Amino acid sequence: VEEDIQEVAGFIGEMWRLWYTGHIPVPNWSADFLARELRTDDDTFRRYTIGVYDGTRLIGVLPGWPIRVRLHGEELPGVMGSFACVHPDYQRQGVADEMRDRAFQQAADRGDAISLLYLYARSKKFRGTKFWCRQSVPTQIIRKLGLWVNPLDCAAVSRWELLRFEAWATRLLAPFRRRLRAPREPDAIRPYRPDDFAACDELVRRRGDSVDLAQRFDGDALRRQLDYKDVAKTLVIEHEGRVAGLVNFNYLEILGRNLQRFGVIDLLAFEPTLPHRRRTDLLRAVLTLMKEDGVISELMLLGSTYGWWSLRAAGFLPMFPEYNLLGVMQSPDVSLDDVRRLFLLWR
């Protein structure tokens, strides 16, 4: 299994750099990152990822993993997909179409209602849009999505940016950025521990209940999300003797004009009674840790207004939409209309 995921991670990284270097930001997904997403230590989950070989040579891969979603109050089985690629020597031979068709057939056999994936929308070089939209299963762009961005090192971000306007704007922004502030009450903030799980599970569940489309987590999935090897980290904040907020994040190297380390917030959840200043404290603690770990900018999916006041107070800026969230409707009963607020992982 370990050899398989090392091979898949190396193949995906090589193909994405080959296609997109200099055109779009290219994440460097590590083997451990993919192992957590694809849950390669479990044979049931391994069946969601489709690989194509020429003899013993990997020539194409379509990763996927099961999720449950809460859509307009109803819980449904689904699939999340990302990182698809085919070796250039085997393109235009139907390899990608065969993988996609097989994935949809397997989803139908399992009774999955929906598949979700992100399409990069700011460059015509991105190959996924035409590929995913030209097939027989009904699809719908659910939302155009941007990111919350918090540049911790404006000079490094400017040198990293692929687009001249963004590079110029980041340089222009630098003199106006406030120095990163330390939390006012740091003693209430600490790393996640296994005995925090029940409280964190409740926070995440409530967060999902408040939106139109949310990803649900079973016990094992949430444990892996909150703490997995060196991939996932979580800080929690205590209030009135209990865990009342969490920020779950990971580090991701992304290739722009150069390779730099970014922080990605996956889960953000607070008790309603947690004061605004305490929420901001928790975010500042996360940002301080990231800066110490060499992160040049923090990213988070901008899908709802949840926590916006605390995010702004901690220095986050909302950016223009650059991704399309695509839904593939594998059940005729699924409606993706009127989805305004989201609680999903950005992959």
Side-chain angles (χ1 to χ4, degrees):
V1 172
E2 184 174 348
E3 290 79 6
D4 290 346
I5 198 62
Q6 291 284 353
E7 179 184 25
V8 168
F11 179 76
I12 291 173
E14 180 185 0
M15 294 302 101
W16 278 65
R17 288 190 296 271
L18 179 65
W19 295 341
Y20 298 130
T21 297
H23 301 294
I24 71 173
V26 181
N28 180 31
W29 297 291
S30 69
D32 282 343
F33 182 93
L34 291 178
R36 182 186 69 159
E37 300 300 301
L38 306 179
R39 296 174 73 168
T40 52
D41 53 350
D42 188 314
D43 286 342
T44 299
F45 290 88
R46 284 166 61 88
R47 297 191 185 101
Y48 283 75
T49 294
I50 296 173
V52 179
Y53 289 82
D54 183 357
T56 59
R57 180 189 182 188
L58 181 64
I59 63 169
V61 64
L62 178 57
W65 57 98
I67 61 172
R68 289 198 66 83
V69 297
R70 184 180 186 271
L71 176 62
H72 297 309
E74 181 182 2
E75 293 206 12
L76 302 168
V79 182
M80 193 82 187
S82 192
F83 327 121
C85 50
V86 175
H87 193 282
D89 292 348
Y90 295 86
Q91 291 177 7
R92 301 186 184 278
Q93 298 181 32
V95 175
D97 290 340
E98 183 178 350
M99 290 194 300
R100 181 194 60 208
D101 293 345
R102 179 171 296 186
F104 287 158
Q105 183 58 56
Q106 290 179 353
D109 294 342
R110 290 189 300 261
D112 295 329
I114 184 174
S115 296
L116 298 174
L117 49 105
Y118 293 96
L119 306 174
Y120 189 74
R122 297 193 66 189
S123 173
K124 294 181 179 179
K125 295 290 185 179
F126 182 69
R127 302 176 174 214
T129 302
K130 290 182 179 179
F131 171 69
W132 287 108
C133 292
R134 68 160 195 265
Q135 38 86 25
S136 58
V137 181
T139 61
Q140 182 175 331
I141 300 296
I142 301 172
R143 281 278 308 277
K144 296 181 183 298
L145 298 170
L147 298 173
W148 285 103
V149 176
N150 193 333
L152 303 176
D153 185 337
C154 287
V157 174
S158 179
R159 292 191 297 269
W160 173 89
E161 287 282 5
L162 289 170
L163 300 177
R164 291 182 180 178
F165 175 77
E166 274 80 357
W168 172 81
T170 306
R171 286 197 301 272
L172 187 65
L173 177 68
F176 303 97
R177 296 290 288 169
R178 284 188 262 175
R179 183 174 58 86
L180 180 60
R181 297 180 181 178
R184 299 173 189 175
E185 301 177 55
D187 292 344
I189 299 168
R190 58 172 175 78
Y192 164 85
R193 301 190 301 245
D195 59 354
D196 298 325
F197 177 78
C200 291
D201 186 36
E202 178 67 12
L203 288 169
V204 172
R205 186 192 63 78
R206 286 184 183 178
R207 175 77 178 90
D209 289 344
S210 68
V211 300
D212 304 307
L213 176 60
Q215 181 170 343
R216 292 303 210 189
F217 296 87
D218 63 27
D220 185 50
L222 185 58
R223 286 185 177 90
R224 295 165 72 97
Q225 183 64 39
L226 295 172
D227 183 21
Y228 184 79
K229 296 186 178 180
D230 293 329
V231 175
K233 296 186 179 183
T234 302
L235 293 187
V236 301
I237 187 166
E238 295 185 357
H239 178 63
E240 297 179 347
R242 64 185 182 279
V243 171
L246 68 89
V247 178
N248 164 249
F249 58 97
N250 64 80
Y251 295 145
L252 187 62
E253 292 186 335
I254 304 178
L255 178 64
R257 290 186 181 275
N258 49 57
L259 187 66
Q260 292 286 355
R261 179 180 251 196
F262 288 75
V264 180
I265 291 180
D266 278 336
L267 300 178
L268 177 70
F270 306 115
E271 265 194 8
T273 58
L274 185 66
H276 159 68
R277 70 180 187 281
R278 307 296 303 282
R279 301 180 186 203
T280 305
D281 259 4
L282 180 56
L283 286 164
R284 286 173 176 164
V286 170
L287 293 170
T288 300
L289 178 60
M290 288 184 176
K291 191 164 186 177
E292 292 172 353
D293 288 344
V295 166
I296 67 165
S297 184
E298 170 59 25
L299 310 173
M300 177 180 165
L301 186 66
L302 201 170
S304 77
T305 58
Y306 183 85
W308 72 273
W309 183 245
S310 300
L311 288 162
R312 289 291 292 115
F316 284 79
L317 302 170
M319 304 304 290
F320 295 110
E322 55 183 315
Y323 294 92
N324 289 324
L325 175 64
L326 182 72
V328 181
M329 295 166 283
Q330 291 153 317
S331 168
D333 299 327
V334 171
S335 172
L336 297 174
D337 296 333
D338 299 321
V339 174
R340 294 182 175 86
R341 296 174 301 162
L342 304 167
F343 184 46
L344 298 173
L345 302 183
W346 173 53
R347 294 294 180 259

